[in-house]
């Protein structure tokens, strides 16, 4: 979902600024190449990942943080900090399921690009070719917007998350939305800019991409994502929620909406994810997200030509961090050199940051509320530290 999602919509006034934005026993774990969390490596050096998670909880006041890091040695280490359920004080489940938010966009983009590889969709064809008459509004015309521009956020489509009915998530937690309902919320707004002349992160692009998948395949987008991506690479703890499914299926930390200082946080673990759909509905784990991005960058999901298109980026940096956006995939420089490729995601109650490097390192960090700007930067720093240690 929208990387700026906030319960109190503190960032709503910045629309003119384009945005980027998203336990097993020890013996068994080691045998599987997964190590239990540690506070120090050999020689007594502090584990910077555990330190980072502890700081997110202690200093930034986040209920919980959890991470999965695949290091240079090829092994994955999992970490937790904080409390998994504020009501009961339960521990954070190791590698628990989380709402992956806008990481879903990468899954959706993969399916669209697979259809491109199959000759069923033209990347530079107008969306009007496949969904005639769908996009019409103030400065909005589907005859001028290409499939590439949707995936790249250069379409100029306004964000449906800015619609009045989504101004307070507490009122729509269990409400079902048709994709057309979401699209209508966007089309009631004015275009951000003429298609192809700028960049702005808009969830509406991936609602349209989901409708495109359904039109071409004749099947629900969730089924196509499951068949073409989730099942294909064996993501055993990842799913696209069925209509009406408001739960998180496996062990998970609870997610909480941000609240005013001193006020109780609102438990938003359960929700009707139709408000996110092809732009942010997926439930996953940190380890599965690492597996997904590793498989994607490793060429297991797309032919070389389409993967190259996905990795062809445009500037998307509004905060001085060198961020660039491709087709459902973003890159960010690391302090130790090279790039991390991934996406990130925000859902009401969860924020995730992660990605993979060219040499196979991978890391994903999730917190169980939407942090403020300082906490968000600390998440970015924690990801950098995990990949650069």
């Amino acid at each position: 979902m929208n990387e700026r999602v906030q319960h109190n919509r503190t960032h709503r006034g910045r629309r003119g600024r384009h945005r980027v934005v998203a336990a097993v026993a020890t013996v068994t774990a080691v045998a599987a190449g997964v190590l239990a969390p540690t506070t120090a490596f050999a020689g007594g050096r502090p584990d910077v990942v555990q330190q980072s998670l502890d700081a997110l909880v202690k200093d930034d006041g986040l209920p919980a943080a959890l991470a999965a890091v695949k290091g240079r040695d090829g092994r994955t280490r999992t970490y937790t900090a904080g409390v998994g359920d504020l009501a009961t004080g339960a521990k954070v489940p190791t590698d628990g399921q989380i709402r992956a938010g806008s990481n879903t966009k990468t899954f959706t983009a993969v399916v669209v690009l697979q259809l491109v590889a199959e000759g069923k969709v033209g990347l530079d064809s107008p969306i009007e070719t496949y969904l005639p008459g769908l996009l019409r509004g103030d400065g909005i015309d589907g005859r001028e917007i290409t499939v590439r521009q949707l995936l790249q956020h250069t379409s100029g489509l306004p964000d449906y998350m800015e619609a009045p009915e989504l101004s307070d998530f507490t009122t729509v937690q269990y409400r079902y939305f048709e994709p057309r309902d979401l699209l209508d919320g966007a089309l009631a707004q004015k275009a951000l800019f003429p298609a192809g002349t700028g960049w702005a992160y808009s969830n509406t692009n991936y609602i349209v991409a989901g409708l495109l998948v359904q039109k071409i395949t004749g099947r629900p987008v969730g089924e196509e994502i499951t068949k073409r991506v989730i099942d294909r690479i064996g993501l055993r703890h990842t799913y696209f929620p069925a209509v009406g499914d408001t739960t998180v299926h496996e062990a998970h930390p609870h997610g909480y909406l941000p609240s005013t200082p001193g006020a109780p946080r609102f438990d938003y673990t359960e929700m009707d994810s139709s408000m996110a759909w092809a732009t942010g509905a997926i439930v996953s784990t940190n380890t599965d997200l690492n597996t997904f991005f590793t498989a994607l960058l490793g060429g297991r999901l797309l032919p070389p030509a389409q993967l190259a298109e996905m990795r062809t980026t445009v500037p998307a940096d509004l905060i001085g961090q060198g961020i660039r956006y491709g087709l459902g995939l973003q890159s960010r420089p690391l302090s130790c050199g090279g790039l991390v490729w991934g996406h990130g995601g925000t859902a009401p109650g969860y924020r995730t940051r992660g990605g993979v490097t060219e040499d196979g390192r991978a890391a994903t960090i999730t917190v169980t509320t939407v942090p403020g700007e300082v906490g968000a930067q600390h998440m970015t720093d924690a990801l950098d530290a995990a990949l650069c240690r």
Side-chain angles (χ1 to χ4, degrees):
M1 293 175 71
N2 193 328
E3 292 304 278
R4 301 183 311 148
V5 63
Q6 294 281 1
H7 173 46
N8 59 6
R9 288 298 197 268
T10 54
H11 297 291
R12 184 175 291 278
R14 300 184 183 178
R15 291 185 58 191
R17 293 172 56 188
H18 298 166
R19 62 231 190 237
V20 179
V21 185
V24 293
T26 301
V27 173
T28 304
V30 173
V34 179
L35 302 182
T38 58
T39 56
F41 287 134
R45 291 188 294 114
D47 187 321
V48 295
V49 179
Q50 189 65 55
Q51 287 183 327
S52 296
L53 297 195
D54 291 342
L56 285 167
V57 171
K58 180 180 179 181
D59 299 337
D60 295 301
L62 307 181
L66 54 167
V69 181
K70 180 184 177 183
R72 300 175 192 275
D73 58 4
R75 293 183 173 181
T76 293
R77 295 170 171 86
T78 56
Y79 303 82
T80 64
V83 178
D85 185 340
L86 294 178
T88 66
K91 294 181 179 180
V92 182
T94 301
D95 203 32
Q97 283 188 325
I98 48 88
R99 295 194 183 276
S102 286
N103 289 292
T104 304
K105 290 181 174 65
T106 314
F107 287 75
T108 300
V110 166
V111 174
V112 173
L113 288 167
Q114 288 175 347
L115 294 173
V116 171
E118 294 164 12
K120 297 174 181 176
V121 172
L123 194 53
D124 292 306
S125 297
I127 192 63
E128 184 81 6
T129 305
Y130 312 104
L131 298 168
L134 180 70
L135 298 183
R136 294 291 189 277
D138 189 353
I140 300 169
D141 189 338
R143 293 167 292 191
E144 305 296 328
I145 296 171
T146 67
V147 175
R148 181 191 301 275
Q149 289 165 349
L150 291 171
L151 300 183
Q152 198 174 56
H153 294 298
T154 54
S155 70
L157 287 175
D159 198 331
Y160 75 86
M161 294 297 295
E162 301 288 351
E165 58 266 32
L166 291 172
S167 62
D168 184 352
F169 287 140
T170 64
T171 66
V172 296
Q173 185 172 9
Y174 296 103
R175 176 178 167 182
Y176 174 73
F177 289 88
E178 287 282 354
R180 181 74 222 198
D181 298 332
L182 305 176
L183 186 58
D184 286 347
L187 296 179
Q189 306 171 50
K190 184 178 180 179
L192 300 175
F193 47 78
T197 66
W199 186 92
Y201 191 93
S202 174
N203 290 285
T204 308
N205 290 310
Y206 280 79
I207 297 299
V208 180
L211 292 170
L212 171 64
V213 169
Q214 295 193 156
K215 180 64 178 291
I216 299 301
T217 65
R219 303 298 305 169
V221 67
E223 287 188 14
E224 290 298 309
I225 287 174
T226 300
K227 177 181 70 175
R228 291 170 171 268
V229 182
I230 295 173
D231 289 348
R232 181 171 173 177
I233 57 174
L235 302 180
R236 295 186 298 112
H237 307 288
T238 300
Y239 64 94
F240 192 103
V243 173
D245 184 359
T246 63
T247 64
V248 178
H249 295 175
E250 299 177 14
H252 59 273
H254 284 233
Y256 300 90
L257 275 181
S259 186
T260 56
R265 287 189 168 101
F266 188 86
D267 191 321
Y268 217 93
T269 310
E270 293 191 357
M271 64 173 284
D272 190 316
S273 56
S274 62
M275 76 165 75
W277 199 54
T279 194
I282 280 178
V283 173
S284 189
T285 64
N286 289 336
T287 296
D288 265 11
L289 289 173
N290 284 349
T291 300
F292 166 62
F293 284 107
T294 298
L296 173 60
L297 272 295
R300 293 175 56 195
L301 288 169
L302 290 173
Q306 281 67 49
L307 182 57
E309 294 280 16
M310 193 177 213
R311 289 169 52 125
T312 301
T313 59
V314 297
D317 186 5
L318 307 172
I319 51 179
Q321 294 185 347
I323 299 167
R324 296 181 65 90
Y325 202 94
L327 306 183
L329 189 68
Q330 76 172 29
S331 67
R332 179 193 300 264
L334 291 169
S335 65
C336 53
L339 300 172
V340 55
W341 290 90
H343 197 285
T346 301
Y350 300 89
R351 174 164 285 182
T352 298
R353 290 289 180 265
V356 301
T357 63
E358 299 286 357
D359 63 359
R361 289 167 286 154
T364 302
I365 297 171
T366 299
V367 297
T368 57
T369 191
V370 182
E373 291 185 9
V374 173
Q377 182 58 52
H378 288 164
M379 285 191 71
T380 299
D381 295 342
L383 176 64
D384 186 88
L387 291 169
C388 287
R389 63 181 183 174

